[in-house]
Amino acid sequence: MSGTPARTADTATTAEVVCLGESMVTFLPSQPGRLADVPSFGRGIGGAESNVACALAAAGHRAAWVSRVGADGFGDHLVEAVAGYGVDTCAVQRDPVRPTGIYFRTATDRATDVHEVAYYRAGSAASAMSPDNVPYEALFAGRVLHLSGITAALSAGCLALLHDLTAPRPGRPLISFDVNHRPGLWRDADAAPEVLLDLARRSDLVFVGEDEAEEAWGVKGAEAIRAALPEPGVLVVKRGSDGATVFSGAGEADDVTAVPALRVDVVAPVGAGDAFAAGFLSATLRELPVRDRVRHGHLMAAAVLTVPGDLTAPPARAHADALAALDDEAWGTLRLGPGWTGHDQEVRTT
């Protein structure tokens, strides 16, 4: 179907998915409270695109991450941590002058008013990415190139890079684009909606949340979002607890597939969007039906939602396939809690 990446001899032994974007060292609070009051932090990693790469690699796919990090200890940690998930990091460049980005966050849900994030990424190594210094041969080596609107916000060079990568060209891999509208990252917040709309319209597979589409473009509802984005062969509209709707095809020829979300006992509401994208991409690479692609996205998101951090081991493929194959009634009765991906599975029906 539309949106399935083609297999070629050149990519058969390299990465299936290449992910481009900044990853940062994340400092996670030891207890709830304001950043001013938290006494200590634990170290982790965070980055939308590297999260997708790590989840795909953990799910058994060949994934690569392309970025720039500083020639510092935090850069060492990032590369080692991402590689530890089985991701190819050979094309990550080290910047001898600019530092690796870091950020601190509170333990509260990022959707609440009390959530705080303190970024220290201005002038970071990744923000210096541009068409002049990123290895295109690595970016175009896979069946899929996964990008995000976050990168476009980092600098003029990063925006130029994404604009060039989404340009039509012979042999271009399938371009997967997660809108990821983060108003706080943009120096010119007024320009962000038009930039993100343009990049999404130049892509083949687009992920966007109903809430961010309304915030960025003033459009509400899946059908209105599709009207604003008629070009992508596959458009995935994430509707939060209501599930996701996928438009595949073009214009009046669209196939529309709506899949309900799972009920999940949430431990921490972070990283779910990246995990959903990884699950959907995994099932796309396997050429599964659209319904199952969305269900694998929901299952991968549920794995992350039931742990404290942004990353976790996904369910075994056979386990995920069995759940994705349930009939609609059985799918609707699933409830997933902590531990459901392992041997002490907590998969309940109600």
Side-chain angles (χ1 to χ4, degrees):
M1 61 153 283
S2 177
T4 297
R7 290 192 176 94
T8 70
D10 291 338
T11 63
T13 58
T14 56
E16 295 174 279
V17 180
V18 179
C19 301
L20 168 79
E22 180 172 36
S23 190
M24 294 174 290
V25 173
T26 311
F27 288 93
L28 309 173
S30 58
Q31 64 186 46
R34 301 184 310 152
L35 287 178
D37 300 327
V38 174
S40 60
F41 296 81
R43 186 181 65 177
I45 62 172
E49 301 84 2
S50 60
N51 283 350
V52 172
C54 290
L56 283 166
H61 294 282
R62 299 185 306 279
W65 172 54
V66 178
S67 189
R68 289 173 69 86
V69 299
D72 50 34
F74 288 146
D76 293 342
H77 174 64
L78 272 178
V79 173
E80 292 168 5
V82 174
Y85 282 87
V87 176
D88 183 346
T89 59
C90 291
V92 176
Q93 299 172 322
R94 307 304 291 262
D95 192 311
V97 177
R98 299 173 182 86
T100 304
I102 64 173
Y103 75 97
F104 297 77
R105 67 171 173 84
T106 53
T108 50
D109 184 344
R110 67 179 54 171
T112 68
D113 292 337
V114 297
H115 181 69
E116 297 174 74
V117 179
Y119 287 109
Y120 298 90
R121 70 195 305 178
S124 69
S127 71
M129 290 190 296
S130 77
D132 299 324
N133 61 18
V134 172
Y136 274 53
E137 66 278 7
L139 293 174
F140 292 154
R143 296 170 60 192
V144 178
L145 174 59
H146 181 70
L147 309 170
S148 146
I150 293 173
T151 304
L154 298 181
S155 68
C158 284
L159 175 55
L161 176 61
L162 259 63
H163 193 265
D164 193 45
L165 292 174
T166 55
R169 69 181 74 212
R172 185 182 88 166
L174 185 143
I175 301 295
S176 168
F177 181 71
D178 193 334
V179 171
N180 260 329
H181 181 223
R182 306 283 177 83
L185 294 181
W186 290 83
R187 289 185 175 87
D188 184 359
D190 292 337
E194 184 176 352
V195 169
L196 294 173
L197 186 64
D198 177 60
L199 291 171
R201 296 179 72 174
R202 295 157 65 93
S203 301
D204 303 304
L205 165 59
V206 173
F207 299 94
V208 62
E210 271 191 323
D211 53 349
E212 62 183 344
E214 183 175 5
E215 182 181 27
W217 305 318
V219 294
K220 188 171 184 178
E223 296 287 346
I225 296 170
R226 181 52 161 174
L229 288 171
E231 294 86 359
V234 177
L235 172 65
V236 183
V237 179
K238 298 176 291 183
R239 299 181 291 115
S241 60
D242 291 328
T245 299
V246 179
F247 298 87
S248 50
E252 295 180 359
D254 259 341
D255 291 325
V256 182
T257 306
V259 180
L262 291 162
R263 287 176 291 175
V264 179
D265 297 332
V266 176
V267 173
V270 292
D274 303 330
F276 179 92
F280 191 94
L281 286 170
S282 172
T284 298
L285 290 164
R286 298 168 60 204
E287 301 182 0
L288 299 183
V290 175
R291 184 205 69 169
D292 291 1
R293 300 182 192 194
V294 182
R295 285 188 172 187
H296 276 278
H298 287 322
L299 289 164
M300 196 83 86
V304 169
L305 288 170
T306 50
V307 298
D310 291 22
L311 289 167
T312 189
R317 181 171 290 183
H319 184 198
D321 282 346
L323 293 178
L326 293 172
D327 61 38
D328 290 345
E329 182 178 0
W331 176 264
T333 63
L334 282 179
R335 188 180 186 100
L336 304 180
W340 76 270
T341 61
H343 296 294
D344 54 338
Q345 300 163 4
E346 187 179 346
V347 180
R348 304 196 300 275
T349 59
T350 57

